[in-house]
Amino acid sequence: MADDYSHRDPMRPSGRPRRRHGVVVIATLAGVTAALALGLWQLDRADQKKAMQRAIDERGRQAPLVTAALPSAAEPPAPGLEHRRAAVVGRWDAAHTIYLDNRVMDGHTGFYVVTPLRLAGRDEAILVQRGWAPRNAARREALPPVATPTGEVRIAGRLALSASRAYALGRDAELGPIRQNVDLAAFQAETGLRLLPLVMLQTEPDPLSGADGTDGLRRHWPPPAVDIHKHYGYAFQWFALAALILGLYVWFQVLAPHRAGRAARTDESPDEQRHA
């Protein structure tokens, strides 16, 4: 005998709405779980960056490395030496000075002057990012005058794994005295120098650069630091998204139907309420 659909409870949800509700529940749980997991991952990244910053600060407090303590050109890069202070002695190889273009310092665009320093007592050199010099706006191919002593100098600075890098268009940007970037391996092959796998950011002027003890270069390098606060910002966004997803579910799946049901019961006539 066929079912009598006229006697079904109109308030009882059919199979399709129940399935749809189940899909909404699963999607809500998945969205909240994923957002919370990503927020916790960002907090973990912030903790990792804190540890990195503590390591950087600790290296900066250590005694400066001297010329003999630097690794040889044959050794692989040593991450533990990055951000360490150093004080080395040598002679400038001015013939191989290069100028990294489109570098900004104190709000002005110019060059980073980079020169190899032949280390005293060693047959090796270290690439030194000496400082910033302005560019001639009228003659963009003109090189800025830089005082480079010919005798032995003592350079103080901070070690890095590579020189400053900027976006470059094509191979031609890496040739000639004016370049966008410098690669240690390529520069070593180009010059024939045995370069250490480190670069030095000079922090003090050459004591023999001139009568005033300066070479005219600016050295306002940003302090070595890691961006921790952005991870807290990302974590807040993910947690806020989880709260939003959960709030939307409660509103549309719990509160809104409840309010609609109360409104429907209020609108029923007395006869309908008696027959309910």
Side-chain angles (χ1 to χ4, degrees):
M1 182 175 181
D3 292 338
D4 186 358
Y5 292 98
S6 61
H7 290 87
R8 282 192 173 182
D9 185 355
M11 300 299 294
R12 183 182 179 183
S14 63
R16 182 175 298 177
R18 283 200 299 269
R19 286 195 299 271
R20 185 163 56 244
H21 179 73
V23 171
V24 171
V25 171
I26 293 173
T28 300
L29 291 175
V32 171
T33 302
L36 290 176
L38 289 170
L40 293 174
W41 177 71
Q42 288 295 338
L43 291 180
D44 183 64
R45 289 288 295 153
D47 290 338
Q48 295 177 26
K49 292 292 185 70
K50 283 183 180 179
M52 292 174 58
Q53 186 64 61
R54 287 193 296 269
I56 290 173
D57 295 340
E58 177 62 28
R59 293 174 192 173
R61 289 190 293 266
Q62 295 176 359
L65 295 169
V66 297
T67 306
L70 295 177
S72 71
E75 296 179 22
L81 297 180
E82 187 180 13
H83 307 301
R84 283 287 304 270
R85 291 184 298 144
V88 298
V89 178
R91 295 176 180 269
W92 292 117
D93 187 349
H96 292 126
T97 297
I98 57 176
Y99 302 82
L100 301 183
D101 199 6
N102 297 318
R103 298 313 198 264
V104 178
M105 185 169 289
D106 298 334
H108 301 283
T109 303
F111 299 103
Y112 280 172
V113 182
V114 179
T115 305
L117 182 74
R118 295 179 179 267
L119 299 172
R122 302 175 59 164
D123 62 347
E124 299 166 319
I126 185 171
L127 207 59
V128 180
Q129 191 169 297
R130 299 172 59 187
W132 179 92
R135 184 168 195 168
N136 190 324
R139 298 178 55 213
R140 295 185 60 81
E141 74 283 358
L143 299 177
V146 178
T148 304
T150 56
E152 194 169 83
V153 295
R154 183 179 185 275
I155 302 301
R158 185 174 78 236
L159 297 177
L161 297 181
S162 64
S164 165
R165 293 195 61 82
Y167 183 75
L169 291 173
R171 177 69 180 171
D172 292 340
E174 308 302 331
L175 302 176
I178 298 178
R179 311 184 182 195
Q180 284 294 102
N181 298 296
V182 57
D183 178 77
L184 285 177
F187 194 70
Q188 178 173 258
E190 175 187 340
T191 60
L193 297 170
R194 297 188 68 238
L195 292 174
L196 269 59
L198 294 165
V199 172
M200 189 169 178
L201 275 64
Q202 186 179 350
T203 56
E204 299 177 7
D206 304 344
L208 304 178
S209 294
D212 58 355
T214 63
D215 51 15
L217 298 174
R218 298 184 189 178
R219 300 183 178 88
H220 303 159
W221 311 119
V226 294
D227 193 351
I228 299 173
H229 298 290
K230 72 175 183 179
H231 295 290
Y232 288 125
Y234 292 153
F236 174 79
Q237 293 176 11
W238 285 118
F239 291 145
L241 179 60
L244 176 62
I245 295 173
L246 185 59
L248 291 175
Y249 172 82
V250 171
W251 174 258
F252 286 106
Q253 299 298 318
V254 179
L255 297 180
H258 179 69
R259 295 180 63 182
R262 289 183 58 186
R265 288 192 297 271
T266 303
D267 292 340
E268 287 180 354
S269 65
D271 293 339
E272 291 175 331
Q273 295 179 7
R274 284 195 299 268
H275 289 86

